[in-house]
Amino acid sequence: MDEEEKVEVPKYLRNIPPNAINHPIDRNIAWSFVLSVIFVAVAIVTGFPIVGLMIVLLPLAVIARQTTFKLCTCKKGTCNGQKLKLVSPADTFWLHDSDFNRYIGHCLFFFDSELTVSRIRDIVLVRVLNRRKDDGQKAFPRFTQRILRLSAGYCWCEDNDFNVENHIYEDDVKVRTKKQLRIRLSQLMMEPLPSHRPLWEIRLVRDYGGNSDTVLIVRVHQAVSDGISLIKILTNCLSDTQQPIRMKPRFGGTTFPLNVFRALVVGPLTFIMWLIFTKRDYNFFSRGEPCSKRRVVAWSRDIRLSKVLRIKQVTRSCLNDILLTATTGAVREYCRKHGPCNPPDVTVSLPVDLSYEPSAVESIPEMGNKIAIVNTCLPTNKEGVIPRLWEVRHYMEELKTSADPVVMYGAIYFLIKLLPHVLSHWLLGLISRKATVNYSNLPGPSEFIVLGSRKLKKFCYWMACNPNVPVSFSLLTYGGNLTVAVSADQTIVTTPKDLIKNFIAEINKLAHLLAKRRIPGEQRRRSSYTSERRQEEIIKPPMQQLQQKLNLVQEELHEVGQKFDMLNRLDSSVIIEYKGVPISRSALYWKLEELKEEFSELLAEMRRRKSLADGIIINIEDEDMDGEVRRPRRRALSTSGRRASFSTIASTVSTARPLTTPTMTHHSSFLSPSRLDINYSPNNQHRNAQGRMARRASENLNRERIY
């Protein structure tokens, strides 16, 4: 009998031993210190000569390119007398594909009512295209310019045949559901923009969803401008209110000037080491095979930013560290379900903003790319969400204090200036294609935007990335919510929504583990408010308005709970109607979770208002985000009303206890009338006798604890 042949497991499916968790104090820094000394010594020996040589060659290369550019423009007739302008190296970096129109950023705008194409055209034409600076020049000329390819390089050329109707129009494909919109967006990601026109367009989709919303599909080439500038244009110019916002762009903060000097010394050696010693990832996503360049997309529901901000405050981390940790956990969990149980660490590509920080708010932001794409490590091999957070923080701190972003930006500038574009793009592509995950995070406006008298309910985006990078995460904060958008190669990740589910699960896991932890340095102190200021805070917004909203949320919570119980008793594949719209079990579950969180927040706000009226200072940020409200300590504003407010404190605690957060398997018990002992609605009084008895017992217990 022949022996059975052993099936060889592919390398990308093999398990990697998990990395051990070492405290920073226990790490041996002697070897790192020795390597750093050797690296600095070699960098000084090799860096200064190479930098000096490039500084000498740079003027010669600029003169040669400008001379060739002048000859080309004279031969072309300077495009009917137009003044051409060469594309900057930072923008030329995004034109290195053979078909450069593939590097397109996509964005979805969801409006709560109908918008017409003519209305959108008028707004864009008046507020952006025809907007002028103080000197009479166009504020945003790139929206009316096309890119002309010459032997000397790329240049901006005014489009004499520009017509706004060619860029803003109604999409010819009818889209009604989210699935159809995902398919349509995946198709558009494979379609280039016309190269003989300015590289942007807006497609309008009518009657989307059950509420007949309007969706705008915005496509802008990355060479036109980066995401930060486009966000500023949206808020400062396109919005009806046009309230300028200020963003802190610099990744390294005050260390940026020092990093510039360090980049001049270690830049050449660092870039050479990236080319020679940095290997391309080989894992479940990057298998050594070329990507199909067919992308599938997905985006999340609105995630409340307050939960993420509390994690940030408790751990004393940056918001970007929390989101990048959740991304790491999402990638790791997807590998565990479809590939190896212990995947290796992966390389992530990060866009680092290197623009200057203006002293005042810019009403007219400057267009262009001021970002550098830098590769770093994601600890997907690390077990435990908290250890992954510390490891991500460690990598981000190293990146902030290193000169890598400036080195990459300088390499783009010098290589494109000194070398032919084909050779420079090939060298830069050797670095950019080594990553497995592309990650970008944009800070959007904190308040909702109104455009054409229509509220922008939500918007999400997908950053243009290298087509050889299989997975891309694009995160955006807007209106107090967080939206996660994922695009992935179709042959590798068939269901990108699983990555989003894993991302949300990582956020919930962090929130659960840190729910009982206080924010460091937080303490309750006596208020310095006057009675007038305290009264103003009590009545804004009115308690009656909060009461009405609480009743509406509670009624909707009962209705959604009944629907969810009905689906639990039926087959999980059954789809029922909710408010006239078909809805699945998973969508109903997320709606239920959102209503529970909103209900808890309303109760916490009412408790804070009542405590202010009684002279008790309660910090609302101190509340646990898992649905449990802490009992307030006695801290009266005056000694005369202290004893009179004891009963109010106890009643406030007992009546303001929000709903607890159950697991997915306990929704029936959670929504039962005996658990809903909140007696704000008169229709529920006859069902809450047991709840009133429990509250009386809680009042007596709280009085004993206070005394």
Side-chain angles (χ1 to χ4, degrees):
M1 184 175 180
D2 297 334
E3 295 182 357
E4 296 182 358
E5 297 182 359
K6 294 183 179 180
V7 178
E8 185 178 356
V9 179
K11 184 178 178 181
Y12 65 88
L13 293 178
R14 297 176 185 175
N15 290 321
I16 303 297
N19 295 330
I21 301 176
N22 296 325
H23 195 273
I25 299 178
D26 299 331
R27 295 175 181 175
N28 188 6
I29 63 174
W31 182 243
S32 300
F33 177 76
V34 172
L35 290 179
S36 300
V37 171
I38 297 175
F39 177 79
V40 171
V42 177
I44 292 175
V45 174
T46 60
F48 283 111
I50 295 177
V51 171
L53 181 62
M54 288 192 298
I55 292 176
V56 173
L57 295 178
L58 182 60
L60 300 177
V62 171
I63 293 174
R65 191 176 296 276
Q66 289 292 337
T67 303
T68 308
F69 175 68
K70 292 293 183 181
L71 294 176
C72 292
T73 53
C74 292
K75 185 178 179 181
K76 293 282 182 177
T78 59
C79 292
N80 299 326
Q82 295 182 23
K83 184 178 180 180
L84 304 183
K85 182 180 179 181
L86 283 173
V87 179
S88 65
D91 299 330
T92 308
F93 172 77
W94 300 99
L95 306 177
H96 59 77
D97 194 4
S98 58
D99 186 1
F100 62 84
N101 291 319
R102 300 294 183 182
Y103 283 82
I104 304 170
H106 294 75
C107 189
L108 294 179
F109 290 83
F110 296 88
F111 292 91
D112 58 359
S113 56
E114 183 179 359
L115 268 175
T116 60
V117 175
S118 59
R119 179 60 175 160
I120 295 296
R121 289 173 181 170
D122 293 340
I123 293 174
V124 175
L125 193 63
V126 172
R127 300 178 183 177
V128 176
L129 300 181
N130 294 338
R131 195 182 185 96
R132 300 283 177 173
K133 296 182 180 179
D134 296 337
D135 55 0
Q137 296 182 358
K138 287 186 177 181
F140 311 107
R142 295 191 180 186
F143 287 124
T144 57
Q145 293 176 343
R146 60 189 180 93
I147 293 182
L148 185 63
R149 188 170 187 174
L150 304 176
S151 58
Y154 299 97
C155 63
W156 295 103
C157 176
E158 192 70 25
D159 186 10
N160 295 325
D161 300 327
F162 177 80
N163 189 350
V164 70
E165 296 181 359
N166 296 329
H167 297 268
I168 303 176
Y169 51 89
E170 186 173 352
D171 195 19
D172 53 357
V173 177
K174 300 298 181 182
V175 176
R176 294 292 181 268
T177 62
K178 186 176 181 179
K179 181 179 179 181
Q180 294 176 351
L181 185 58
R182 287 200 304 264
I183 295 174
R184 181 56 179 158
L185 194 61
S186 300
Q187 295 173 351
L188 291 177
M189 284 188 174
M190 296 182 296
E191 296 182 6
L193 290 168
S195 59
H196 61 281
R197 296 175 183 170
L199 300 177
W200 65 276
E201 69 176 12
I202 300 177
R203 297 171 180 254
L204 186 140
V205 176
R206 297 177 179 270
D207 300 331
Y208 172 78
N211 298 326
S212 299
D213 295 338
T214 300
V215 179
L216 298 182
I217 305 176
V218 182
R219 308 177 70 208
V220 182
H221 194 276
Q222 188 67 32
V224 175
S225 188
D226 54 24
I228 295 291
S229 300
L230 295 177
I231 290 290
K232 291 181 180 179
I233 292 174
L234 173 64
T235 56
N236 300 0
C237 303
L238 273 178
S239 176
D240 291 352
T241 56
Q242 296 188 10
Q243 297 179 356
I245 62 173
R246 181 178 178 181
M247 298 182 182
K248 185 179 180 180
R250 211 164 273 171
F251 192 74
T254 57
T255 61
F256 181 78
L258 177 61
N259 291 333
V260 173
F261 175 76
R262 294 170 58 190
L264 294 176
V265 179
V266 304
L269 182 60
T270 301
F271 188 78
I272 293 173
M273 292 183 64
W274 287 346
L275 291 176
I276 299 176
F277 298 103
T278 305
K279 297 181 180 180
R280 187 176 181 180
D281 279 354
Y282 191 84
N283 48 49
F284 177 78
F285 298 99
S286 299
R287 307 173 185 176
E289 303 175 358
C291 295
S292 64
K293 297 184 180 181
R294 296 177 62 90
R295 313 288 289 191
V296 288
V297 300
W299 62 91
S300 70
R301 60 182 178 87
D302 290 337
I303 305 172
R304 291 189 179 272
L305 193 59
S306 57
K307 179 185 296 185
V308 185
L309 291 178
R310 188 181 186 280
I311 300 173
K312 167 184 174 294
Q313 293 171 343
V314 170
T315 59
R316 289 186 176 180
S317 304
C318 298
L319 179 62
N320 187 72
D321 296 343
I322 305 300
L323 301 180
L324 195 56
T325 302
T327 303
T328 306
V331 174
R332 172 182 169 83
E333 190 62 26
Y334 191 90
C335 288
R336 287 172 57 85
K337 290 182 179 179
H338 300 85
C341 295
N342 292 321
D345 292 342
V346 302
T347 303
V348 61
S349 179
L350 298 173
V352 179
D353 185 19
L354 298 177
S355 59
Y356 70 95
E357 184 175 357
S359 57
V361 179
E362 296 176 310
S363 59
I364 300 179
E366 183 180 357
M367 301 186 68
N369 286 273
K370 305 174 187 63
I371 59 176
I373 304 299
V374 183
N375 293 341
T376 187
C377 182
L378 284 185
T380 50
N381 188 247
K382 187 78 68 177
E383 291 184 343
V385 61
I386 299 297
R388 282 197 296 269
L389 174 59
W390 304 142
E391 198 71 12
V392 167
R393 284 185 57 180
H394 174 68
Y395 288 133
M396 289 297 102
E397 289 297 329
E398 286 187 343
L399 184 60
K400 292 176 184 178
T401 56
S402 69
D404 291 355
V406 184
V407 169
M408 189 62 188
Y409 192 83
I412 293 173
Y413 181 84
F414 281 102
L415 289 178
I416 293 178
K417 283 287 187 180
L418 296 175
L419 301 178
H421 286 173
V422 177
L423 181 58
S424 61
H425 292 155
W426 177 75
L427 289 174
L428 295 172
L430 291 178
I431 298 175
S432 60
R433 68 169 60 102
K434 292 180 179 180
T436 298
V437 178
N438 184 81
Y439 170 87
S440 61
N441 178 21
L442 274 182
S446 57
E447 302 294 335
F448 285 97
I449 292 176
V450 178
L451 183 65
S453 302
R454 302 294 189 272
K455 179 183 176 182
L456 179 59
K457 299 192 302 183
K458 176 181 179 178
F459 75 100
C460 53
Y461 83 106
W462 290 261
M463 181 184 174
C465 63
N466 194 305
N468 295 310
V469 178
V471 182
S472 176
F473 282 81
S474 300
L475 283 68
L476 177 71
T477 57
Y478 170 64
N481 296 319
L482 171 68
T483 305
V484 183
V486 175
S487 68
D489 189 82
Q490 188 176 12
T491 59
I492 298 176
V493 180
T494 57
T495 55
K497 63 181 181 180
D498 291 344
L499 289 170
I500 295 178
K501 291 180 180 179
N502 296 339
F503 183 94
I504 298 175
E506 291 294 313
I507 293 293
N508 293 334
K509 190 183 299 182
L510 275 170
H512 175 71
L513 292 175
L514 302 173
K516 307 302 181 182
R517 299 293 298 272
R518 268 184 176 275
I519 299 174
E522 185 182 33
Q523 61 181 359
R524 292 185 176 92
R525 58 185 181 273
R526 295 184 181 272
S527 175
S528 60
Y529 288 164
T530 62
S531 58
E532 292 79 6
R533 291 181 61 187
R534 187 168 66 253
Q535 186 65 22
E536 290 178 359
E537 189 173 354
I538 294 172
I539 64 176
K540 290 183 180 181
M543 287 290 292
Q544 184 179 3
Q545 182 179 354
L546 290 175
Q547 181 76 50
Q548 293 175 356
K549 187 174 182 180
L550 185 71
N551 292 336
L552 293 176
V553 172
Q554 186 175 359
E555 292 175 1
E556 188 175 2
L557 188 61
H558 278 289
E559 182 181 358
V560 174
Q562 293 175 0
K563 297 286 186 181
F564 194 82
D565 288 341
M566 185 184 303
L567 282 180
N568 285 337
R569 291 191 295 267
L570 300 175
D571 187 7
S572 60
S573 61
V574 176
I575 297 179
I576 63 174
E577 289 190 358
Y578 174 67
K579 293 186 177 181
V581 180
I583 187 170
S584 61
R585 184 180 183 276
S586 60
L588 199 63
Y589 166 73
W590 290 119
K591 182 65 177 177
L592 185 65
E593 292 292 325
E594 183 180 352
L595 287 173
K596 289 190 310 184
E597 192 169 356
E598 185 177 2
F599 190 79
S600 299
E601 290 181 359
L602 286 173
L603 286 176
E605 178 64 18
M606 293 186 67
R607 169 177 172 263
R608 190 180 71 87
R609 293 301 178 84
K610 292 180 179 180
S611 64
L612 284 173
D614 296 325
I616 306 299
I617 306 303
I618 298 178
N619 192 345
I620 197 65
E621 294 181 354
D622 189 44
E623 309 300 341
D624 291 333
M625 301 305 296
D626 61 346
E628 297 182 1
V629 180
R630 291 182 179 177
R631 182 176 64 255
R633 297 178 181 175
R634 182 188 65 178
R635 190 62 63 95
L637 293 176
S638 61
T639 57
S640 60
R642 180 176 301 175
R643 186 171 298 276
S645 62
F646 285 160
S647 60
T648 309
I649 297 172
S651 62
T652 302
V653 174
S654 60
T655 57
R657 175 163 50 89
L659 302 176
T660 56
T661 306
T663 59
M664 291 181 60
T665 58
H666 294 83
H667 286 288
S668 300
S669 61
F670 163 70
L671 292 170
S672 61
S674 60
R675 296 294 300 274
L676 290 176
D677 55 357
I678 311 301
N679 201 13
Y680 285 103
S681 177
N683 298 328
N684 299 327
Q685 293 182 1
H686 65 281
R687 296 183 295 177
N688 294 334
Q690 296 180 354
R692 288 194 294 270
M693 294 176 63
R695 284 198 300 274
R696 294 192 188 99
S698 177
E699 289 177 9
N700 297 330
L701 179 60
N702 289 327
R703 287 194 185 96
E704 293 177 2
R705 291 177 178 176
I706 291 174
Y707 283 108

